[in-house]
Amino acid sequence: TGIMEKEKDFLERICDYFQLHPNQFGWILIILGGVLLWGAIQKWEWLFIGDGRVFNIAWFREQFGDKAAQVVMGLLAGLCLVAGVIWLFAFKK
């Protein structure tokens, strides 16, 4: 239970931080988008692994091919990047 309490405390501190500084959440979206974009360009296999459910990136890859899955992942990454930049400007202090 000690580990669970530490994790809970850590998550609460993160939530408190983003409530006090909502503009900083945009940086998380930008970093996430950058990593996803780089992963799509580099064809990182773990990025395209699915769990067998329909309408995830692995299903899309099986149906439409590697290039199409890369493009879709790139578009999703771009969306994260744009959302992060918009978030930064929307909550600019």
Side-chain angles (χ1 to χ4, degrees):
T1 60
I3 294 173
M4 295 292 268
E5 290 174 11
K6 287 181 182 179
E7 287 179 9
K8 189 182 247 185
D9 183 49
F10 178 71
L11 291 175
E12 286 176 5
R13 288 189 306 174
I14 289 174
C15 289
D16 291 343
Y17 176 80
F18 285 117
Q19 285 176 354
L20 292 173
H21 309 286
N23 60 326
Q24 298 299 310
F25 187 72
W27 289 111
I28 290 176
L29 290 172
I30 291 171
I31 292 168
L32 176 66
V35 169
L36 289 176
L37 182 61
W38 187 250
I41 291 169
Q42 295 296 316
K43 300 179 188 174
W44 289 346
E45 189 62 32
W46 64 267
L47 199 59
F48 299 99
I49 294 175
D51 57 2
R53 289 188 265 174
V54 178
F55 299 120
N56 61 25
I57 196 67
W59 175 85
F60 194 88
R61 181 182 182 189
E62 290 174 12
Q63 298 299 314
F64 301 104
D66 289 338
K67 285 288 185 193
Q70 277 184 277
V71 169
V72 168
M73 187 57 72
L75 291 173
L76 291 173
L79 187 64
C80 281
L81 287 167
V82 169
V85 170
I86 290 171
W87 191 286
L88 287 177
F89 283 109
F91 289 100
K92 190 175 183 178
K93 289 185 176 182

